[in-house]
Amino acid sequence: MENKSKQGRELVSGVAAESDEHLVREAEKIAVALGRMFPGLCEVVLHDLRDPRHAIRVIENDLSGRQVGDPATELGLARIADPDFPSVVQNYPNRFPDGRPAKSTSIGIKNTEGEYVAALCLNLDISVLSPVTLALSNLVATDTAHGDRPLETLRDRTARELRRTVEELSAQRGATPRSLSRDDKKALVRQLYQDGYFDSRDAAQTIADLLGVSRATVYNYAK
């Protein structure tokens, strides 16, 4: 009788484990689909909370430098420890390892027993949206009376336009100016040179500051 009871418990446990695995596999499809819908913009990570030391099951658009098999984050551990932890933590501020700002949402996934078995996390790189923010700021700007004095000098205006152009070109590559690869920085500098941005006296230094390289490197890239 005892053996039959034990076998019954093992059968139930096996069915539950299979059900949990099926749930996680279905969540994998959602993670992949979401990531491929927002390439280079939103990192999508599926955490398998049944194995917190190797929690990352899927990662699309790797913006944080993590990989499959990496451990769970603090939110994941909190969910494992507390079944009553909020199922959805939405739109909280976050930051990637290289300093880029992010907006994150974490969605907990429970099994039929009410236990968290997985978490689907979205990390939106809001730094690539800075050109849009800049354009909107310019759109809603109002005039200020300064008499005969100009509001800004030609040099200031050129520097502002140069900064905006660098940010826009970087955003097209899914990165901020400083996080661009060496090849992308070189291509960006050459494009700026061809478009005539080097005509300004301080353009090379401005570009160097934006890309996080030396002025000499900028001139070398422009060759």
Side-chain angles (χ1 to χ4, degrees):
M1 188 71 176
E2 183 178 347
N3 287 338
K4 289 184 178 180
S5 177
K6 181 179 179 181
Q7 290 175 355
R9 289 195 299 269
E10 290 177 347
L11 179 61
V12 171
S13 177
V15 170
E18 185 176 345
S19 175
D20 290 352
E21 178 61 22
H22 175 75
L23 191 62
V24 175
R25 285 200 304 268
E26 290 299 300
E28 284 184 6
K29 299 176 185 178
I30 299 173
V32 172
L34 284 174
R36 293 180 180 178
M37 187 172 182
F38 302 102
L41 181 63
C42 184
E43 178 184 73
V44 183
V45 187
L46 178 65
H47 296 272
D48 185 343
L49 300 183
R50 299 170 301 171
D51 186 11
R53 290 186 178 180
H54 308 91
I56 294 184
R57 180 89 167 233
V58 171
I59 183 165
E60 289 286 321
N61 301 325
D62 178 14
L63 301 177
S64 62
R66 293 175 294 172
Q67 58 186 358
V68 172
D70 279 355
T73 62
E74 295 85 349
L75 274 180
L77 296 176
R79 283 199 170 99
I80 294 171
D82 181 11
D84 294 325
F85 192 88
S87 294
V88 179
V89 182
Q90 194 162 22
N91 296 335
Y92 59 92
N94 213 334
R95 192 167 292 275
F96 292 111
D98 63 1
R100 283 174 294 164
K103 183 171 77 171
S104 299
T105 291
S106 178
I107 306 166
I109 300 172
K110 289 183 176 181
N111 60 15
T112 56
E113 300 299 319
E115 301 170 334
Y116 282 115
V117 295
L120 183 64
C121 301
L122 295 86
N123 302 308
L124 179 67
D125 183 358
I126 59 177
S127 70
V128 300
L129 302 177
S130 58
V132 177
T133 303
L134 181 60
L136 290 175
S137 297
N138 291 336
L139 181 64
V140 300
T142 57
D143 294 335
T144 303
H146 285 278
D148 295 331
R149 296 180 56 190
L151 187 61
E152 58 183 8
T153 65
L154 179 61
R155 176 185 172 188
D156 290 336
R157 185 164 61 250
T158 301
R160 184 185 64 193
E161 291 172 354
L162 176 58
R163 177 181 294 274
R164 181 175 60 204
T165 300
V166 171
E167 290 178 343
E168 288 174 347
L169 292 174
S170 299
Q172 291 172 10
R173 294 171 169 82
T176 59
R178 286 178 172 262
S179 65
L180 288 170
S181 68
R182 181 178 181 276
D183 288 342
D184 281 341
K185 287 181 179 179
K186 181 181 292 187
L188 185 148
V189 170
R190 287 180 176 175
Q191 184 171 344
L192 292 173
Y193 183 82
Q194 293 171 1
D195 292 342
Y197 281 94
F198 278 66
D199 293 342
S200 174
R201 183 182 62 182
D202 297 321
Q205 188 59 56
T206 300
I207 296 169
D209 293 340
L210 290 170
L211 297 181
V213 299
S214 68
R215 184 176 178 179
T217 297
V218 169
Y219 280 120
N220 185 50
Y221 284 171
K223 293 179 180 179

